[in-house]
């Protein structure tokens, strides 16, 4: 994958409270893929426990998540749902 960031479709952002992650679709190159940002990532980025504000924290850090998501995809290209966690932060 040559692209260095995702183009996140903000209309697809969904707070999956049961799995403690925000799910979304994003384009990278000419491909559309499914992603999920775990709450631990959102907590690390926002310095707050996301709980009922997970989507707001996600939107606040969408640029950072788009770059981190591209790295996570490069590492997990075969996954149907690419999960981005705190471990993906450099």
């Amino acid at each position: 994958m040559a692209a260095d960031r995702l183009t996140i479709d903000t209309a697809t952002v969904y707070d999956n409270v049961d799995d403690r992650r925000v799910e979304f679709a994003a384009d990278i190159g000419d491909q559309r893929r499914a992603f999920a940002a775990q709450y631990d990532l959102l907590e690390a980025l926002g310095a707050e426990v996301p709980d009922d504000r997970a989507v707001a924290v996600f939107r606040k850090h969408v640029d950072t998540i788009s770059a981190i998501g591209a790295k996570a995809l490069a590492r997990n290209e075969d996954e149907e749902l690419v999960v981005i966690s705190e471990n993906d932060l450099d």
Side-chain angles (χ1 to χ4, degrees), residues 4-79:
D4 64 345
R5 62 189 320 103
L6 308 173
T7 302
I8 296 174
D9 181 351
T10 56
T12 65
V13 175
Y14 166 74
D15 186 5
N16 184 336
V17 177
D18 294 334
D19 290 332
R20 296 189 48 80
R21 62 189 185 201
V22 173
E23 298 181 7
F24 60 96
D27 297 322
I28 187 157
D30 61 353
Q31 253 186 3
R32 176 151 286 215
R33 300 292 301 263
F35 292 85
Q38 290 185 331
Y39 279 18
D40 70 342
L41 170 68
L42 300 176
E43 184 173 351
L45 291 172
E48 67 177 282
V49 177
D51 291 334
D52 62 341
R53 292 186 22 82
V55 171
V57 174
F58 176 90
R59 290 184 190 281
K60 184 175 180 181
H61 299 282
V62 73
D63 290 335
T64 302
I65 294 168
S66 69
I68 296 168
K71 291 178 189 176
L73 175 60
R75 187 186 67 249
N76 298 310
E77 286 188 23
D78 296 332
E79 296 294 324

